[in-house]
């Protein structure tokens, strides 16, 4: 649907209302963004979630949810899940940035992590992937400066995960994932027990007042409004909210949306 409205330069342009999601390739499952566009600039953003209730806890948060519920969970299990989760996010990030070969590579290593590769094998797989991503000038050129989110504003929104640590743009958030992938791959044989007081999953604390993906969704309008349409998917991919966290689940002690 089109209508007329002033754009940021005071010109009268058609305003188009465009939905994104919930079934796009390389898009967070269940997420719907309703964008108002003038030309190629995003003027307004509405965020909706379209995920049905699930009888299962969110897959990527499962080790920390078990720890919060009182179960003795090896740190290696949590590290392996964290490594795989960030590789899954990196696969989407590389894909929307147009780097299909690296997206496929990240997903192959993710599958190896989930299949039980030991620390030495997994580290040997992630090191060259990290090195190549960090050295890519094209990736940096395409993603640096997009969706800047300061640590102060992230903290105000309630963000507790990589987006808070990054204290920067889409490229900075990707670097935080890469660093976490390297460290968690090396730790996936750790037999010590997860401390329930340190229940920090791939997207942040899972024992807070809201699931960690909720503040990421709340951040999206502010990050997307005023940006070019072509950049919107990169910004969404750099946050990669997990809407499974927002579905009601029958787990005692877990945070629900």
């Amino acid at each position: 649907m089109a209508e007329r409205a002033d754009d940021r330069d005071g010109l009268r342009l058609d305003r188009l209302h465009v939905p994104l999601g919930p079934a796009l390739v390389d898009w967070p499952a269940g997420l719907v963004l309703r964008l108002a566009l003038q030309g190629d600039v995003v003027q307004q953003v509405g965020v909706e979630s379209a995920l049905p209730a699930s009888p299962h806890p969110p897959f990527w948060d499962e080790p920390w949810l078990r720890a919060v519920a009182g179960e003795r969970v090896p740190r290696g299990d949590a590290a392996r899940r964290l490594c795989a989760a960030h590789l899954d996010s990196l696969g989407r990030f590389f894909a929307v940035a147009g780097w299909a070969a690296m997206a496929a590579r990240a997903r192959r290593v993710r599958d190896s992590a989930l299949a039980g590769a030991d620390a030495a094998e997994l580290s040997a797989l992630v090191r060259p992937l990290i090195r190549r991503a960090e050295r890519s000038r094209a990736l940096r050129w395409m993603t640096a400066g997009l969706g800047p989110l300061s640590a102060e504003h992230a903290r105000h929104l309630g963000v507790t995960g990589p987006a808070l640590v990054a204290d920067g743009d889409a490229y900075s958030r990707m670097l935080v994932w890469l660093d976490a992938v390297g460290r968690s791959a090396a730790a996936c044989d750790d037999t010590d027990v997860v401390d329930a007081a340190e229940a920090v999953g791939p997207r942040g604390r899972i024992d807070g007042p809201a699931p960690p993906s909720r503040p990421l969704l709340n951040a999206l309008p502010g990050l997307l409004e005023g940006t070019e349409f072509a950049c919107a998917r990169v910004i969404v991919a750099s946050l990669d909210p997990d809407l499974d966290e927002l579905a009601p689940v029958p787990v005692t002690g877990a945070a629900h949306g």
Side-chain angles (χ1 to χ4, degrees):
M1 183 175 66
E3 59 189 42
R4 303 278 286 183
D6 292 337
D7 81 340
R8 58 184 175 182
D9 298 319
L11 302 175
R12 298 287 290 177
L13 295 176
D14 285 339
R15 175 176 285 184
L16 300 178
H17 297 270
V18 178
L20 285 180
L24 284 175
V25 175
D26 298 313
W27 183 258
L31 175 63
V32 179
L33 296 184
R34 300 199 178 277
L35 307 181
L37 301 175
Q38 282 185 303
D40 62 350
V41 177
V42 177
Q43 296 290 347
Q44 291 181 337
V45 179
V47 180
E48 300 175 6
S49 59
L51 210 63
S54 169
H56 307 291
F59 176 77
W60 295 119
D61 293 340
E62 184 259 349
W64 297 275
L65 291 171
R66 287 165 45 208
V68 169
E71 187 174 335
R72 292 174 59 82
V73 179
R75 285 181 178 272
D77 289 2
R80 180 182 302 283
R81 193 65 60 92
L82 186 76
C83 182
H86 287 334
L87 286 164
D88 189 68
S89 296
L90 285 164
R92 266 186 292 283
F93 185 83
F94 293 143
V96 299
W99 203 357
M102 273 293 276
R105 184 172 180 175
R107 287 161 177 159
R108 285 196 298 272
V109 182
R110 172 202 62 192
D111 292 345
S112 295
L114 293 175
D118 63 23
E121 180 184 357
L122 198 52
S123 295
L125 290 171
V126 302
R127 275 195 294 268
L129 184 148
I130 293 169
R131 190 163 51 243
R132 189 171 183 194
E134 289 177 336
R135 291 179 177 177
S136 173
R137 294 182 181 180
L139 185 64
R140 182 168 190 160
W141 178 80
M142 289 188 63
T143 60
L146 300 182
L149 178 62
S150 69
E152 180 181 5
H153 188 50
R155 197 173 290 110
H156 173 73
L157 291 169
V159 174
T160 56
L164 172 64
V165 175
D167 187 20
D169 54 20
Y171 182 75
S172 302
R173 292 189 281 275
M174 182 214 60
L175 291 180
V176 171
W177 283 339
L178 291 176
D179 178 66
V181 162
R183 288 186 288 105
S184 56
C188 70
D189 293 341
D190 191 339
T191 57
D192 288 345
V193 177
V194 171
D195 182 350
E198 300 174 358
V200 181
R203 290 162 179 85
R205 297 202 66 93
I206 58 90
D207 58 350
S213 287
R214 171 56 68 191
L216 297 179
L217 293 176
N218 293 342
L220 280 175
L223 298 184
L224 295 177
E225 289 171 1
T227 66
E228 295 182 358
F229 178 69
C231 302
R233 292 200 62 184
V234 173
I235 295 171
V236 173
S238 74
L239 295 177
D240 198 28
D242 177 11
L243 273 69
D244 280 348
E245 293 180 347
L246 277 64
V249 290
V251 178
T252 302
H256 304 298

